[in-house]
Amino acid sequence: MKFAQRIQNIQPSMTLAISSKAQSLIEQGIDVIGFGAGEPDFSTPENIKQAGIDAIQNNDTHYTLVSGTHALKDAIIEKFERDNGLSYQRNQIVVSCGAKHSFYNLAQVLWDNGDEIIIPAPYWVSYPDMVVLANATPVIVNTDSSSGYKITAEQLQQAVTQKTRALVLNSPSNPTGSAYTKKELEALAEVVLKNKLMVISDEIYEKIMFDGFEHFSMASLSEELKLNTVVINGASKCFAMTGWRIGYLAAEPDVASAVSKLQGQSTSNPTSIAQAACVEALTGKQSSAEIQKMVMEFKMRRDYLMDRYAKIDNVSCYQPVGTFYSFPDFSELFGRKWNGKTLKGSLDVAEFLLEEAKVALVPGIAFGADNHQRLSFATSMENIEEGMNRIESAVKSLPA
Ligand SMILES: *Cc1c(COP(=O)(O)O)cnc(C)c1O
């Protein structure tokens, strides 16, 4: 079969080999502890599920407006006002089938061949490929723990060329769990405005923050920045609604209208039932208590994990201020021998941890950071305890 160039331009997931190995161990009846989850281990809150059921009973089962129902757009507008101090009109909001779909649509309508898009690494796996699918060029800027895995204004300025169109920001971050302070955003904002860049701000983990860390949206810094920023958010992570597939973006009317045009010739509206449930998620009285419960549980697990990392020689981990991911650095193990093989990168370490410790992590190379593994704590405390015991003894057993 001859395939289109665009599908040949993107890579199959590098983590596929390791996850299929984990799967085959599980099928052999081996008890593998999975730390790979990219979604909350909680169920969608009851009031939200009920709103979905009601939508079906009320025959809310037809096409809706391509860019989302008025009811949901109004709930989103209210959310931006309440949580971010941002005011938008209905013609600035587009609801899509998940935040990933929002980003994909945006890339398709904004970028062309030759455009450069700055993506700080470690990054969420899908950004570079979605940029490539738009024929544009991802420009990866590496960051490390010294800046909390955040791009600095100097780094941003250095990466800018005549062709740069946009900066992709993800705060709080998947996979590092770090987040930008208002001051850090202000420093970046100066470079953004000076070079007339757009900012794509993925804020999907906004509500999952610890220790009173306050989330700021780039768009809320000034009216000028708001004009140049597209905010992406969604229901998946904060409301444990990954399967419902609702994401949205807020942008200037011309951008929103282009995204809506593309969506009108591709997927059309996201599911009517999921939209109705999302209205309840954003406006329901129970929602903030439900989120708080989830965040408290994640914080407890984060604290426990940080204690455990501190006690393992040759493994270090930046303390996440949000999300449900930790991103430990295993590079001290590089050069050591296991099973007659020298550990050289995150794929080797992931294989070692899977076969020796029977724990499944996601190799950092998937996020553009080969020294690391992503360990998701969207799993039970029992699993975390047992998994960390196993990791600790496997690392200890490795001859220096
Ligand atoms: C999970 C995730 C998304 C996409 O979520 P959807 O389920 O498509 O709404 C977007 N960005 C980041 C950083 C994520 O981790």
PDB file of all heavy atoms in Angstrom, residues 31 33-35 41 297 300-301 304 308 359 377-390:
ATOM      1  N   ASP A  31       2.830 -10.607  38.142  1.00  0.00           N
ATOM      2  CA  ASP A  31       2.221  -9.447  38.765  1.00  0.00           C
ATOM      3  C   ASP A  31       3.101  -8.209  38.537  1.00  0.00           C
ATOM      4  O   ASP A  31       4.086  -7.982  39.206  1.00  0.00           O
ATOM      5  CB  ASP A  31       1.954  -9.789  40.249  1.00  0.00           C
ATOM      6  CG  ASP A  31       2.200  -8.660  41.219  1.00  0.00           C
ATOM      7  OD1 ASP A  31       1.626  -7.589  41.019  1.00  0.00           O
ATOM      8  OD2 ASP A  31       2.981  -8.880  42.173  1.00  0.00           O
ATOM      9  N   ILE A  33       3.481  -4.132  38.383  1.00  0.00           N
ATOM     10  CA  ILE A  33       2.834  -2.909  38.874  1.00  0.00           C
ATOM     11  C   ILE A  33       2.972  -1.825  37.823  1.00  0.00           C
ATOM     12  O   ILE A  33       4.074  -1.479  37.405  1.00  0.00           O
ATOM     13  CB  ILE A  33       3.443  -2.488  40.228  1.00  0.00           C
ATOM     14  CG1 ILE A  33       3.101  -3.579  41.238  1.00  0.00           C
ATOM     15  CG2 ILE A  33       2.919  -1.126  40.657  1.00  0.00           C
ATOM     16  CD1 ILE A  33       3.434  -3.264  42.649  1.00  0.00           C
ATOM     17  N   GLY A  34       1.832  -1.309  37.389  1.00  0.00           N
ATOM     18  CA  GLY A  34       1.817  -0.332  36.305  1.00  0.00           C
ATOM     19  C   GLY A  34       1.874   1.091  36.833  1.00  0.00           C
ATOM     20  O   GLY A  34       1.015   1.514  37.606  1.00  0.00           O
ATOM     21  N   PHE A  35       2.926   1.808  36.414  1.00  0.00           N
ATOM     22  CA  PHE A  35       3.042   3.227  36.763  1.00  0.00           C
ATOM     23  C   PHE A  35       2.894   4.088  35.512  1.00  0.00           C
ATOM     24  O   PHE A  35       3.391   5.203  35.458  1.00  0.00           O
ATOM     25  CB  PHE A  35       4.396   3.510  37.418  1.00  0.00           C
ATOM     26  CG  PHE A  35       4.491   3.068  38.855  1.00  0.00           C
ATOM     27  CD1 PHE A  35       5.477   2.166  39.257  1.00  0.00           C
ATOM     28  CD2 PHE A  35       3.616   3.567  39.804  1.00  0.00           C
ATOM     29  CE1 PHE A  35       5.594   1.781  40.588  1.00  0.00           C
ATOM     30  CE2 PHE A  35       3.725   3.185  41.134  1.00  0.00           C
ATOM     31  CZ  PHE A  35       4.705   2.287  41.528  1.00  0.00           C
ATOM     32  N   ASP A  41      -7.027   7.728  38.446  1.00  0.00           N
ATOM     33  CA  ASP A  41      -7.551   6.402  38.787  1.00  0.00           C
ATOM     34  C   ASP A  41      -8.853   6.541  39.566  1.00  0.00           C
ATOM     35  O   ASP A  41      -9.180   5.693  40.385  1.00  0.00           O
ATOM     36  CB  ASP A  41      -6.508   5.615  39.597  1.00  0.00           C
ATOM     37  CG  ASP A  41      -6.061   6.344  40.848  1.00  0.00           C
ATOM     38  OD1 ASP A  41      -5.853   7.569  40.782  1.00  0.00           O
ATOM     39  OD2 ASP A  41      -5.906   5.700  41.906  1.00  0.00           O
ATOM     40  N   GLU A 297      -5.790  13.289  47.711  1.00  0.00           N
ATOM     41  CA  GLU A 297      -5.256  11.931  47.550  1.00  0.00           C
ATOM     42  C   GLU A 297      -3.956  11.956  46.737  1.00  0.00           C
ATOM     43  O   GLU A 297      -2.970  11.318  47.117  1.00  0.00           O
ATOM     44  CB  GLU A 297      -6.332  11.066  46.880  1.00  0.00           C
ATOM     45  CG  GLU A 297      -5.952   9.620  46.655  1.00  0.00           C
ATOM     46  CD  GLU A 297      -5.748   8.814  47.931  1.00  0.00           C
ATOM     47  OE1 GLU A 297      -6.456   9.081  48.925  1.00  0.00           O
ATOM     48  OE2 GLU A 297      -4.868   7.918  47.927  1.00  0.00           O
ATOM     49  N   MET A 300      -1.101  13.247  48.898  1.00  0.00           N
ATOM     50  CA  MET A 300      -0.614  12.256  49.844  1.00  0.00           C
ATOM     51  C   MET A 300       0.366  11.294  49.162  1.00  0.00           C
ATOM     52  O   MET A 300       1.424  10.970  49.686  1.00  0.00           O
ATOM     53  CB  MET A 300      -1.804  11.472  50.390  1.00  0.00           C
ATOM     54  CG  MET A 300      -1.729  11.104  51.819  1.00  0.00           C
ATOM     55  SD  MET A 300      -3.390  10.588  52.356  1.00  0.00           S
ATOM     56  CE  MET A 300      -3.598   9.068  51.436  1.00  0.00           C
ATOM     57  N   ARG A 301      -0.017  10.887  47.959  1.00  0.00           N
ATOM     58  CA  ARG A 301       0.838   9.958  47.218  1.00  0.00           C
ATOM     59  C   ARG A 301       2.137  10.646  46.800  1.00  0.00           C
ATOM     60  O   ARG A 301       3.208  10.047  46.854  1.00  0.00           O
ATOM     61  CB  ARG A 301       0.103   9.455  45.970  1.00  0.00           C
ATOM     62  CG  ARG A 301      -1.165   8.686  46.282  1.00  0.00           C
ATOM     63  CD  ARG A 301      -1.883   8.383  44.995  1.00  0.00           C
ATOM     64  NE  ARG A 301      -3.216   7.831  45.207  1.00  0.00           N
ATOM     65  CZ  ARG A 301      -4.081   7.623  44.223  1.00  0.00           C
ATOM     66  NH1 ARG A 301      -3.755   7.935  42.975  1.00  0.00           N
ATOM     67  NH2 ARG A 301      -5.269   7.110  44.483  1.00  0.00           N
ATOM     68  N   TYR A 304       4.444  10.813  49.780  1.00  0.00           N
ATOM     69  CA  TYR A 304       5.008   9.497  50.068  1.00  0.00           C
ATOM     70  C   TYR A 304       6.129   9.167  49.077  1.00  0.00           C
ATOM     71  O   TYR A 304       7.222   8.732  49.450  1.00  0.00           O
ATOM     72  CB  TYR A 304       3.914   8.426  50.000  1.00  0.00           C
ATOM     73  CG  TYR A 304       4.453   7.029  50.171  1.00  0.00           C
ATOM     74  CD1 TYR A 304       4.768   6.538  51.437  1.00  0.00           C
ATOM     75  CD2 TYR A 304       4.698   6.208  49.070  1.00  0.00           C
ATOM     76  CE1 TYR A 304       5.299   5.263  51.589  1.00  0.00           C
ATOM     77  CE2 TYR A 304       5.222   4.946  49.215  1.00  0.00           C
ATOM     78  CZ  TYR A 304       5.521   4.474  50.471  1.00  0.00           C
ATOM     79  OH  TYR A 304       6.057   3.225  50.620  1.00  0.00           O
ATOM     80  N   ARG A 308      10.247   8.363  49.474  1.00  0.00           N
ATOM     81  CA  ARG A 308      10.882   7.139  48.984  1.00  0.00           C
ATOM     82  C   ARG A 308      12.040   7.444  48.029  1.00  0.00           C
ATOM     83  O   ARG A 308      13.099   6.841  48.113  1.00  0.00           O
ATOM     84  CB  ARG A 308       9.853   6.244  48.277  1.00  0.00           C
ATOM     85  CG  ARG A 308       8.760   5.703  49.178  1.00  0.00           C
ATOM     86  CD  ARG A 308       9.286   4.796  50.274  1.00  0.00           C
ATOM     87  NE  ARG A 308      10.092   3.677  49.813  1.00  0.00           N
ATOM     88  CZ  ARG A 308       9.650   2.438  49.644  1.00  0.00           C
ATOM     89  NH1 ARG A 308       8.395   2.150  49.898  1.00  0.00           N
ATOM     90  NH2 ARG A 308      10.460   1.474  49.236  1.00  0.00           N
ATOM     91  N   VAL A 359       8.009  -3.631  37.449  1.00  0.00           N
ATOM     92  CA  VAL A 359       7.241  -2.380  37.464  1.00  0.00           C
ATOM     93  C   VAL A 359       7.326  -1.766  36.071  1.00  0.00           C
ATOM     94  O   VAL A 359       8.374  -1.833  35.422  1.00  0.00           O
ATOM     95  CB  VAL A 359       7.772  -1.346  38.502  1.00  0.00           C
ATOM     96  CG1 VAL A 359       7.565  -1.837  39.920  1.00  0.00           C
ATOM     97  CG2 VAL A 359       9.227  -0.993  38.262  1.00  0.00           C
ATOM     98  N   PHE A 377       1.487   8.586  39.525  1.00  0.00           N
ATOM     99  CA  PHE A 377       0.902   8.138  40.800  1.00  0.00           C
ATOM    100  C   PHE A 377      -0.625   8.148  40.769  1.00  0.00           C
ATOM    101  O   PHE A 377      -1.280   8.252  41.805  1.00  0.00           O
ATOM    102  CB  PHE A 377       1.490   8.850  42.019  1.00  0.00           C
ATOM    103  CG  PHE A 377       1.617  10.360  41.933  1.00  0.00           C
ATOM    104  CD1 PHE A 377       0.625  11.181  42.437  1.00  0.00           C
ATOM    105  CD2 PHE A 377       2.763  10.940  41.408  1.00  0.00           C
ATOM    106  CE1 PHE A 377       0.759  12.568  42.413  1.00  0.00           C
ATOM    107  CE2 PHE A 377       2.912  12.333  41.374  1.00  0.00           C
ATOM    108  CZ  PHE A 377       1.903  13.140  41.876  1.00  0.00           C
ATOM    109  N   ALA A 378      -1.168   7.987  39.579  1.00  0.00           N
ATOM    110  CA  ALA A 378      -2.595   7.744  39.453  1.00  0.00           C
ATOM    111  C   ALA A 378      -2.849   6.250  39.632  1.00  0.00           C
ATOM    112  O   ALA A 378      -3.392   5.569  38.757  1.00  0.00           O
ATOM    113  CB  ALA A 378      -3.101   8.234  38.097  1.00  0.00           C
ATOM    114  N   THR A 379      -2.432   5.744  40.768  1.00  0.00           N
ATOM    115  CA  THR A 379      -2.647   4.348  41.127  1.00  0.00           C
ATOM    116  C   THR A 379      -2.689   4.276  42.649  1.00  0.00           C
ATOM    117  O   THR A 379      -2.306   5.226  43.327  1.00  0.00           O
ATOM    118  CB  THR A 379      -1.561   3.441  40.513  1.00  0.00           C
ATOM    119  OG1 THR A 379      -1.889   2.080  40.798  1.00  0.00           O
ATOM    120  CG2 THR A 379      -0.184   3.753  41.065  1.00  0.00           C
ATOM    121  N   SER A 380      -3.148   3.128  43.184  1.00  0.00           N
ATOM    122  CA  SER A 380      -3.404   3.073  44.626  1.00  0.00           C
ATOM    123  C   SER A 380      -2.121   3.199  45.448  1.00  0.00           C
ATOM    124  O   SER A 380      -1.023   2.896  44.981  1.00  0.00           O
ATOM    125  CB  SER A 380      -4.065   1.740  44.969  1.00  0.00           C
ATOM    126  OG  SER A 380      -3.116   0.702  44.800  1.00  0.00           O
ATOM    127  N   MET A 381      -2.276   3.640  46.680  1.00  0.00           N
ATOM    128  CA  MET A 381      -1.166   3.745  47.619  1.00  0.00           C
ATOM    129  C   MET A 381      -0.482   2.385  47.791  1.00  0.00           C
ATOM    130  O   MET A 381       0.740   2.311  47.890  1.00  0.00           O
ATOM    131  CB  MET A 381      -1.718   4.259  48.946  1.00  0.00           C
ATOM    132  CG  MET A 381      -0.701   4.888  49.823  1.00  0.00           C
ATOM    133  SD  MET A 381       0.050   6.343  49.040  1.00  0.00           S
ATOM    134  CE  MET A 381       0.859   7.003  50.460  1.00  0.00           C
ATOM    135  N   GLU A 382      -1.274   1.305  47.816  1.00  0.00           N
ATOM    136  CA  GLU A 382      -0.693  -0.050  47.967  1.00  0.00           C
ATOM    137  C   GLU A 382       0.258  -0.335  46.802  1.00  0.00           C
ATOM    138  O   GLU A 382       1.365  -0.827  47.004  1.00  0.00           O
ATOM    139  CB  GLU A 382      -1.787  -1.132  47.988  1.00  0.00           C
ATOM    140  CG  GLU A 382      -2.743  -1.097  49.170  1.00  0.00           C
ATOM    141  CD  GLU A 382      -3.722   0.088  49.128  1.00  0.00           C
ATOM    142  OE1 GLU A 382      -4.235   0.418  48.029  1.00  0.00           O
ATOM    143  OE2 GLU A 382      -3.949   0.715  50.187  1.00  0.00           O
ATOM    144  N   ASN A 383      -0.205  -0.023  45.608  1.00  0.00           N
ATOM    145  CA  ASN A 383       0.650  -0.235  44.435  1.00  0.00           C
ATOM    146  C   ASN A 383       1.910   0.612  44.504  1.00  0.00           C
ATOM    147  O   ASN A 383       2.988   0.162  44.128  1.00  0.00           O
ATOM    148  CB  ASN A 383      -0.104   0.103  43.144  1.00  0.00           C
ATOM    149  CG  ASN A 383      -0.998  -1.027  42.697  1.00  0.00           C
ATOM    150  OD1 ASN A 383      -0.875  -2.151  43.176  1.00  0.00           O
ATOM    151  ND2 ASN A 383      -1.908  -0.738  41.788  1.00  0.00           N
ATOM    152  N   ILE A 384       1.740   1.848  44.956  1.00  0.00           N
ATOM    153  CA  ILE A 384       2.896   2.750  45.013  1.00  0.00           C
ATOM    154  C   ILE A 384       3.922   2.214  46.021  1.00  0.00           C
ATOM    155  O   ILE A 384       5.119   2.150  45.729  1.00  0.00           O
ATOM    156  CB  ILE A 384       2.446   4.192  45.363  1.00  0.00           C
ATOM    157  CG1 ILE A 384       1.586   4.754  44.221  1.00  0.00           C
ATOM    158  CG2 ILE A 384       3.651   5.089  45.609  1.00  0.00           C
ATOM    159  CD1 ILE A 384       0.913   6.078  44.529  1.00  0.00           C
ATOM    160  N   GLU A 385       3.437   1.783  47.190  1.00  0.00           N
ATOM    161  CA  GLU A 385       4.351   1.245  48.209  1.00  0.00           C
ATOM    162  C   GLU A 385       5.106   0.034  47.684  1.00  0.00           C
ATOM    163  O   GLU A 385       6.335  -0.036  47.741  1.00  0.00           O
ATOM    164  CB  GLU A 385       3.566   0.847  49.470  1.00  0.00           C
ATOM    165  CG  GLU A 385       3.160   2.041  50.317  1.00  0.00           C
ATOM    166  CD  GLU A 385       2.435   1.609  51.597  1.00  0.00           C
ATOM    167  OE1 GLU A 385       2.791   0.544  52.145  1.00  0.00           O
ATOM    168  OE2 GLU A 385       1.526   2.336  52.014  1.00  0.00           O
ATOM    169  N   GLU A 386       4.352  -0.912  47.164  1.00  0.00           N
ATOM    170  CA  GLU A 386       4.966  -2.146  46.674  1.00  0.00           C
ATOM    171  C   GLU A 386       5.898  -1.859  45.490  1.00  0.00           C
ATOM    172  O   GLU A 386       7.005  -2.379  45.419  1.00  0.00           O
ATOM    173  CB  GLU A 386       3.860  -3.141  46.293  1.00  0.00           C
ATOM    174  CG  GLU A 386       4.333  -4.400  45.593  1.00  0.00           C
ATOM    175  CD  GLU A 386       5.286  -5.277  46.417  1.00  0.00           C
ATOM    176  OE1 GLU A 386       5.371  -5.084  47.645  1.00  0.00           O
ATOM    177  OE2 GLU A 386       5.956  -6.132  45.798  1.00  0.00           O
ATOM    178  N   GLY A 387       5.452  -1.005  44.596  1.00  0.00           N
ATOM    179  CA  GLY A 387       6.268  -0.658  43.425  1.00  0.00           C
ATOM    180  C   GLY A 387       7.573   0.002  43.829  1.00  0.00           C
ATOM    181  O   GLY A 387       8.634  -0.309  43.272  1.00  0.00           O
ATOM    182  N   MET A 388       7.508   0.911  44.804  1.00  0.00           N
ATOM    183  CA  MET A 388       8.731   1.592  45.241  1.00  0.00           C
ATOM    184  C   MET A 388       9.656   0.626  45.976  1.00  0.00           C
ATOM    185  O   MET A 388      10.880   0.735  45.858  1.00  0.00           O
ATOM    186  CB  MET A 388       8.387   2.808  46.110  1.00  0.00           C
ATOM    187  CG  MET A 388       7.744   3.957  45.350  1.00  0.00           C
ATOM    188  SD  MET A 388       8.645   4.520  43.873  1.00  0.00           S
ATOM    189  CE  MET A 388       9.987   5.456  44.626  1.00  0.00           C
ATOM    190  N   ASN A 389       9.091  -0.323  46.736  1.00  0.00           N
ATOM    191  CA  ASN A 389       9.935  -1.355  47.350  1.00  0.00           C
ATOM    192  C   ASN A 389      10.713  -2.093  46.265  1.00  0.00           C
ATOM    193  O   ASN A 389      11.915  -2.338  46.387  1.00  0.00           O
ATOM    194  CB  ASN A 389       9.091  -2.388  48.120  1.00  0.00           C
ATOM    195  CG  ASN A 389       8.444  -1.801  49.360  1.00  0.00           C
ATOM    196  OD1 ASN A 389       8.841  -0.718  49.820  1.00  0.00           O
ATOM    197  ND2 ASN A 389       7.437  -2.483  49.890  1.00  0.00           N
ATOM    198  N   ARG A 390      10.015  -2.448  45.231  1.00  0.00           N
ATOM    199  CA  ARG A 390      10.656  -3.213  44.151  1.00  0.00           C
ATOM    200  C   ARG A 390      11.725  -2.391  43.433  1.00  0.00           C
ATOM    201  O   ARG A 390      12.791  -2.902  43.107  1.00  0.00           O
ATOM    202  CB  ARG A 390       9.599  -3.663  43.135  1.00  0.00           C
ATOM    203  CG  ARG A 390       8.601  -4.653  43.696  1.00  0.00           C
ATOM    204  CD  ARG A 390       7.653  -5.049  42.598  1.00  0.00           C
ATOM    205  NE  ARG A 390       6.557  -5.875  43.077  1.00  0.00           N
ATOM    206  CZ  ARG A 390       5.659  -6.439  42.266  1.00  0.00           C
ATOM    207  NH1 ARG A 390       5.741  -6.241  40.961  1.00  0.00           N
ATOM    208  NH2 ARG A 390       4.701  -7.173  42.758  1.00  0.00           N
TER     209      ARG A 390
END
